[in-house]
C-alpha cells in the first residue's frame, strides 16, 4: 500500500478533518447575481454602463436581470440552508445605498436600498447562515467614475462614508465586513487593460487607482470600526503564487516585478504601512506616485482582523526577449493594453496540463504556497479563503448536472487549504465561488462558476453534483483523503 492509499476498513484514514469551527460558505457579488438594476432607487454603476456598451461583454450580456437574486433571495437562502452552508458572502451595491453620490457629497441614504440588505441579513440569520458582507465588489456608482473614478481621491473619501452607513445599518447582525474585493482587478483591469469597467487604458491612472483603492480600504476600515466596533474588518485580495520555469536572472526579476504589482503593492501598505521601494522604481517611467500624500500610508495601515484570499490558478512568468510575440496567458482577458503596468517585457507562457473553461491552469499547490507565504510573512494574521472555484461548460441532463471536473477541482483545492492549515496557517474558513452561475464580468453568462446551475431563460435553479459533494464536506467538516 502506498502512502496515498487508505484502507477502506479504517474510516478515519479515508478523510482529513478541518479544525473545529472552520466556516464553510459560498460567495456571490451584487452585480453578478442581483439584477433589478433600476429598482427601488438604484442608479447606474460602472458595470451597467460598461455592459451596455457594445463590444465590451461577450454576447452583449448585461447584469440587468442576472440571477434575479434581488427577488429570489429567499428561495436561494432556503437552498443554501438545505445544503448546510454555514455562511454566505455577498456584496452590497453602492448605487443602491447612496444613489445620488457625487465627488463632493455622499448624498441621501436610500432606505429602500438598505432595507433590501437588512432583510437579506435577517433571512440568513433565520436560516442559521452567517452573513459576510463585501462593501465593494466593483459596482462603483457611475457618477463617481464621471468625476475620475478610482483615479480621484474623493472616491476613497466617499467610499468611507458609504462604508460607515452600511456598517451602522448592518453591524448589529453582521460580524465580518470586507472593505474591497480584489482591488488588483479594479485598478489594472479597469484602468490599464480596460477589460473591466470602466474600460480605461491609461497605465498611470491604474497606479493612481491602486493607491486610492488602498486608501479607500484604510479609510473604510476605520469607518466600519467607528460604526460597528464589534465587527471584524477584512480585505480580500487576489494574491498570486508567482513562479518561473526559466533560469535566467531576468526570469527571476520578472517574478519579483509581477509579485510587486500583484501582491506587495497591496500587502505592504495595508500590513506594513509602506509601498515597496522596488515597485516604485519599476513604475517610475509611468508615474512619480505624487498622488500619495503625506499621512496616507498611516491611514492605509489600519489593523486588519482577517485577510481574505482569492485563489484560482497559478501565475507563471518569464522575461520576454522579443524574439517571438509576447505570450499573454495571464488569464485576464484579451486586450492590446497590458494590465502589467511598467512590466511589458514580462510574458506569461501557456502552461501544459489541464485547464478550466476560463483557460486557467489548475495547480492546487498554489493555494498552499500562498497561504503559507502570508502566514510566514505576517504571522498571526487570520486568513479566510474568500473565493475559490472553477468554471466548466455544464449541461443539465434530466434535472442533474454531473460536474465531475468541478468536484475534483474543489476536492484538490480543499486538500491544499488543509495542507496549509496543518502546516500552521490560521485559515478560518472557505467560501466557494460561486453559489450560483452568474454574470462573469467580461465573459457575461458564457462561463459558469456555480455549484447551482441557473437557467437564465426561466431562472430555474438546478443543484449540481458538486454542490451535493460540497454539502457532504461541510456536514463532515472533512475532505476525502484519497486522491485519484
Ligand atoms: C474573481 C471575482 C469574482 C468572480 C471570480 C471568478 O476575480 O472576484 O467576482 O468573477 O473571479
Amino acid at each position: 500500500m502506498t502512502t496515498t492509499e487508505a484502507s477502506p476498513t479504517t474510516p478515519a484514514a479515508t478523510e482529513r478533518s478541518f479544525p473545529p469551527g472552520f466556516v464553510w460558505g459560498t460567495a456571490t457579488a451584487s452585480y453578478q447575481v442581483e439584477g433589478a438594476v433600476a429598482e427601488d432607487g438604484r442608479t447606474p454603476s460602472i458595470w451597467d454602463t460598461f455592459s451596455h456598451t457594445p463590444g465590451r461583454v461577450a454576447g452583449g450580456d448585461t447584469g440587468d436581470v442576472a440571477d434575479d437574486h434581488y427577488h429570489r433571495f429567499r428561495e436561494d437562502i432556503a437552498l443554501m440552508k438545505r445544503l448546510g452552508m454555514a455562511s454566505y458572502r455577498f456584496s452590497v451595491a453602492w448605487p443602491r445605498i447612496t444613489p445620488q453620490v457625487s465627488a463632493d457629497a455622499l448624498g441621501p441614504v436610500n432606505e429602500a436600498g438598505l432595507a433590501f440588505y437588512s432583510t437579506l441579513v435577517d433571512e440568513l440569520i433565520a436560516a442559521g447562515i452567517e452573513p459576510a458582507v463585501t462593501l465593494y465588489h466593483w459596482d462603483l456608482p457611475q457618477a463617481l467614475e464621471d468625476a475620475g473614478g478610482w483615479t480621484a481621491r474623493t472616491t476613497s473619501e466617499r467610499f468611507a462614508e458609504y462604508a460607515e452607513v452600511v456598517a451602522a445599518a448592518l453591524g448589529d447582525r453582521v460580524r465580518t465586513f470586507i472593505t474591497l474585493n480584489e482591488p488588483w482587478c479594479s485598478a489594472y483591469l479597469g484602468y490599464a487593460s480596460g477589460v473591466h469597467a470602466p474600460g480605461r487604458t491609461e497605465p498611470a491612472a491604474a497606479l493612481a487607482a491602486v493607491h486610492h483603492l488602498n486608501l479607500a480600504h484604510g479609510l473604510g476600515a476605520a469607518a466600519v470600526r467607528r460604526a460597528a466596533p464589534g465587527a471584524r474588518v477584512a480585505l480580500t485580495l487576489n494574491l498570486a503564487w508567482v513562479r518561473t520555469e526559466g533560469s535566467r536572472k531576468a526570469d527571476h526579476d520578472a517574478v519579483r516585478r509581477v509579485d510587486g504589482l500583484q501582491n506587495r503593492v497591496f500587502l505592504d501598505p495595508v500590513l506594513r504601512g509602506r509601498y515597496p521601494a522596488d515597485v516604485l522604481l519599476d513604475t517610475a517611467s509611468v508615474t512619480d506616485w505624487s498622488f500619495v500624500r503625506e499621512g496616507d500610508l498611516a491611514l492605509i495601515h489600519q489593523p486588519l482582523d482577517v485577510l481574505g484570499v482569492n485563489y484560482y490558478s497559478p501565475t507563471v512568468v518569464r522575461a520576454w526577449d522579443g524574439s517571438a510575440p509576447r505570450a499573454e496567458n495571464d488569464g485576464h482577458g484579451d486586450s492590446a493594453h497590458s494590465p502589467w503596468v511598467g512590466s511589458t517585457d514580462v510574458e506569461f507562457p501557456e502552461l501544459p496540463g489541464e485547464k478550466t473553461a476560463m483557460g486557467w491552469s489548475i495547480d492546487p499547490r498554489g493555494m498552499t504556497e500562498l497561504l503559507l507565504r502570508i502566514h510566514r510573512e505576517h504571522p498571526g494574521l487570520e486568513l479566510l479563503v474568500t473565493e475559490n472555484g472553477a468554471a466548466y461548460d455544464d449541461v443539465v441532463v434530466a434535472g442533474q448536472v454531473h460536474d465531475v471536473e468541478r468536484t475534483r477541482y474543489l476536492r484538490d483545492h480543499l486538500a491544499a487549504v488543509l495542507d496549509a492549515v496543518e502546516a500552521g496557517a490560521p485559515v478560518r474558513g472557505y467560501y466557494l465561488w460561486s453559489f450560483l452561475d452568474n454574470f462573469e464580468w467580461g465573459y457575461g453568462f458564457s462561463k459558469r462558476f456555480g455549484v447551482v446551475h441557473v437557467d437564465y431563460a426561466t431562472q430555474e435553479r438546478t443543484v449540481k453534483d458538486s454542490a451535493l459533494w460540497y454539502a457532504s464536506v461541510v456536514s463532515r467538516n472533512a475532505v476525502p483523503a484519497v486522491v485519484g
Side-chain angles (χ1 to χ4, degrees):
M1 194 161 88
T2 69
T3 50
T4 53
E5 281 172 341
S7 157
T9 54
T10 51
T14 67
E15 61 180 34
R16 298 171 65 198
S17 294
F18 280 73
F22 193 83
V23 175
W24 296 100
T26 60
T28 65
S30 44
Y31 190 72
Q32 297 184 272
V33 298
E34 284 178 1
V37 290
E39 276 180 55
D40 295 336
R42 181 187 183 278
T43 50
S45 75
I46 54 175
W47 271 96
D48 296 88
T49 310
F50 191 76
S51 65
H52 280 271
T53 305
R56 291 303 207 172
V57 173
D61 293 342
T62 75
D64 288 2
V65 178
D67 293 336
D68 196 30
H69 185 63
Y70 192 79
H71 299 116
R72 295 169 193 262
F73 66 93
R74 288 192 175 82
E75 86 183 58
D76 290 336
I77 291 171
L79 187 49
M80 283 175 211
K81 183 178 178 182
R82 198 146 66 75
L83 294 169
M85 294 303 125
S87 185
Y88 177 44
R89 173 183 178 233
F90 62 91
S91 80
V92 173
W94 185 353
R96 291 196 194 281
I97 306 302
T98 61
Q100 310 308 326
V101 63
S102 70
D104 307 324
L106 189 62
V109 173
N110 175 29
E111 293 303 332
L114 265 187
F116 168 71
Y117 295 105
S118 188
T119 310
L120 180 68
V121 163
D122 286 343
E123 197 79 13
L124 285 166
I125 291 170
I129 299 171
E130 185 189 335
V133 171
T134 307
L135 292 163
Y136 183 74
H137 201 128
W138 307 352
D139 37 7
L140 186 73
Q142 180 62 41
L144 289 179
E145 176 53 33
D146 296 342
W150 287 112
T151 70
R153 189 179 181 87
T154 44
T155 299
S156 321
E157 293 164 355
R158 298 296 83 73
F159 171 77
E161 294 163 3
Y162 148 77
E164 190 157 353
V165 167
V166 177
L170 305 182
D172 57 336
R173 289 155 289 158
V174 171
R175 186 168 69 115
T176 307
F177 287 95
I178 299 165
T179 54
L180 307 176
N181 177 71
E182 301 191 354
W184 186 92
C185 294
S186 300
Y188 299 107
L189 301 183
Y191 293 85
S193 71
V195 300
H196 278 190
R200 288 167 62 178
T201 50
E202 303 153 48
L207 295 174
V210 164
H211 178 61
H212 293 129
L213 283 151
N214 281 330
L215 184 61
H217 161 73
L219 295 174
V224 168
R225 286 210 171 88
R226 271 196 303 278
R232 295 197 301 181
V233 176
L235 166 68
T236 281
L237 299 175
N238 53 324
L239 299 172
W241 174 48
V242 192
R243 59 192 180 85
T244 188
E245 286 167 2
S247 53
R248 297 165 299 176
K249 193 162 163 276
D251 295 320
H252 294 288
D253 200 50
V255 171
R256 177 193 61 72
R257 287 161 65 188
V258 167
D259 178 57
L261 287 172
Q262 177 123 20
N263 300 327
R264 289 179 290 112
V265 83
F266 300 104
L267 289 172
D268 284 15
V270 170
L271 297 170
R272 303 190 197 280
R274 58 169 191 256
Y275 277 111
D278 61 325
V279 174
L280 302 185
L281 271 179
D282 292 341
T283 56
S285 64
V286 179
T287 176
D288 60 5
W289 291 76
S290 54
F291 40 76
V292 181
R293 295 200 194 152
E294 208 181 322
D296 281 2
L297 283 155
L299 294 172
I300 294 169
H301 186 203
Q302 298 292 319
L304 191 72
D305 298 315
V306 188
L307 181 70
V309 177
N310 293 355
Y311 174 82
Y312 290 91
S313 181
T315 302
V316 178
V317 301
R318 72 179 169 221
W320 180 49
D321 59 15
S323 60
R326 184 168 166 265
E328 293 177 331
N329 301 289
D330 63 2
H332 295 297
D334 276 342
S335 170
H337 304 268
S338 172
W340 303 100
V341 175
S343 286
T344 40
D345 53 349
V346 171
E347 65 176 348
F348 297 79
E350 160 121 42
L351 301 179
E354 216 189 314
K355 298 186 177 62
T356 68
M358 295 295 284
W360 294 350
S361 290
I362 302 174
D363 195 344
R365 263 184 316 154
M367 175 72 93
T368 314
E369 296 289 341
L370 207 50
L371 294 167
L372 286 176
R373 172 196 174 173
I374 302 161
H375 176 50
R376 246 188 342 263
E377 294 184 2
H378 303 282
L381 177 61
E382 294 204 1
L383 305 172
L384 271 180
V385 175
T386 38
E387 285 181 31
N388 172 244
Y392 286 103
D393 298 326
D394 305 311
V395 279
V396 183
V397 180
Q400 297 187 320
V401 180
H402 301 306
D403 55 340
V404 186
E405 294 154 303
R406 180 174 293 103
T407 300
R408 193 159 7 105
Y409 177 100
L410 294 172
R411 181 197 64 189
D412 294 348
H413 284 77
L414 284 173
V417 173
L418 195 46
D419 289 344
V421 170
E422 287 173 353
V427 186
R428 304 296 185 227
Y430 174 95
Y431 291 83
L432 193 164
W433 185 274
S434 179
F435 179 57
L436 300 169
D437 290 338
N438 60 48
F439 177 84
E440 180 47 35
W441 309 114
Y443 299 88
F445 297 109
S446 68
K447 304 294 176 200
R448 294 180 176 274
F449 273 92
V451 288
V452 173
H453 181 276
V454 176
D455 179 328
Y456 295 109
T458 62
Q459 291 297 340
E460 188 180 353
R461 274 69 165 143
T462 303
V463 173
K464 302 180 192 179
D465 288 357
S466 58
L468 300 173
W469 178 84
Y470 187 54
S472 80
V473 167
V474 173
S475 72
R476 304 167 77 84
N477 197 37
V479 279
V482 185
V483 173

